[in-house]
Amino acid sequence: MKLLGTQIEIYAITIGFEWIHPLLPLDGLLGAFLLAVLFTVLRSFAPIWALWLQGVYSGRYLAIEAIGGTLGSGAVVLTLYAFALW
């Protein structure tokens, strides 16, 4: 089930990238970086914030989740940007 959730996230990021990137005042790699930050906040930090508020998970676990989510979102957006150049 987690694989399906990941695929849905990637599809949503792809649609968001194709829709939002041309509308940004910053184009190129800087615009892609801005979208990576936006998708990281939406995809990773909101759920991590909710877990932190519950107080059940350690700070180390939450930091690992934040780093993993940031790297994952950045990799997806940079890949989409590279494909958009084709």
Side-chain angles (χ1 to χ4, degrees):
M1 197 57 148
K2 185 167 175 88
L3 179 63
L4 179 62
T6 302
Q7 288 177 342
I8 292 171
E9 285 180 352
I10 299 301
Y11 292 147
I13 289 174
T14 302
I15 291 168
F17 180 86
E18 290 297 322
W19 181 35
I20 297 172
H21 191 261
L23 302 175
L24 291 176
L26 303 170
D27 59 347
L29 194 57
L30 190 56
F33 177 75
L34 180 67
L35 277 177
V37 170
L38 173 70
F39 291 143
T40 298
V41 170
L42 293 175
R43 181 177 178 230
S44 299
F45 290 127
I48 290 169
W49 180 261
L51 291 174
W52 180 73
L53 288 178
Q54 290 176 3
V56 177
Y57 299 96
S58 69
R60 186 174 185 183
Y61 172 79
L62 296 176
I64 291 170
E65 286 289 323
I67 292 168
T70 301
L71 292 175
S73 295
V76 170
V77 169
L78 289 177
T79 302
L80 290 171
Y81 176 71
F83 285 147
L85 294 177
W86 276 5

